[in-house]
Each structure stands twice: as structure tokens, then as C-alpha cells.
Amino acid sequence: MVQPAVLENLAWADEAIQAIEAEARTGRTFDAYQLQQRQGVADPPSVQQWGSVFKTAARRGIIQQAGFHITNRPTRRGGITRVWVGSPACTRKNSSGPGDTITETA
């Protein structure tokens, strides 16, 4: 049976948020393409979903904007894209000890 598009979108978004959280803990800067390369995130059902998951992660305090750069994504042909980094709370929790988890902030 084919999964309804809404459920497919939610499943992808959940996977993407988890990958953003994992990448944020590294302390490295990243964009959507680098996230895909490093964390293995699949292409979203619609490319517009990238903005939504990054906005959600930023609102939750997982990431913050670090700037802009020219993307290496081949299909963008040198387009400008936003660069993100783990928030101080996110990277601090990662370095404070084993078993720590990132909690959402309001």
C-alpha cells in the first residue's frame, strides 16, 4: 500500500530534524546539502520542505544561523544558501558528558 503524501512528508521531516540535531552536536557549520552528505538525509518530497525543517530546528533552539555561502549542490549551480551551526546550548550539552540529550526550548 502506498503511504499518503502527508504521512510521507511528516516521516521525512522527523528524520531531517533528527539529522539536524545530530549534525548540530558536532559543532561544525552546515547547509542542507552538507547535512545530506554527512547524515544521509534523503531528498524531501518537495524541496520547499528544507526551509520548514531548518526553521523548526532553529525555533527549538537546536541550531542558529551562521551565515551564507555558495552551495556545492550540483543542481543549484552556485546558488547562495544559508549556513547553520549548533546552538551553544546544543553543543554544550553534547560536550558535558555521556548520556546527555538535547532538550527542546520554547
Side-chain angles (χ1 to χ4, degrees):
M1 177 180 226
V2 175
Q3 187 174 17
V6 171
L7 294 179
E8 180 181 326
N9 291 351
L10 290 175
W12 179 86
D14 287 343
E15 178 187 330
I17 293 289
Q18 289 174 15
I20 289 170
E21 192 170 332
E23 190 63 26
R25 284 191 208 114
T26 70
R28 298 181 293 194
T29 59
F30 61 98
D31 65 19
Y33 187 57
Q34 291 165 331
L35 180 72
Q36 285 188 285
Q37 292 178 314
R38 295 174 186 169
Q39 299 293 328
V41 179
D43 285 330
S46 169
V47 295
Q48 288 82 9
Q49 287 183 268
W50 281 118
S52 177
V53 295
F54 278 99
K55 184 176 180 180
T56 297
R59 269 194 317 233
R60 291 180 182 177
I62 298 168
I63 57 173
Q64 61 189 31
Q65 184 177 319
F68 296 88
H69 71 190
I70 296 172
T71 184
N72 289 324
R73 186 182 297 271
T75 57
R76 291 285 314 275
R77 292 181 231 123
I80 302 295
T81 192
R82 195 176 307 245
V83 177
W84 301 91
V85 68
S87 68
C90 178
T91 55
R92 193 169 43 247
K93 286 186 187 227
N94 184 49
S95 63
S96 61
D100 290 341
T101 58
I102 295 175
T103 55
E104 292 182 22
T105 57

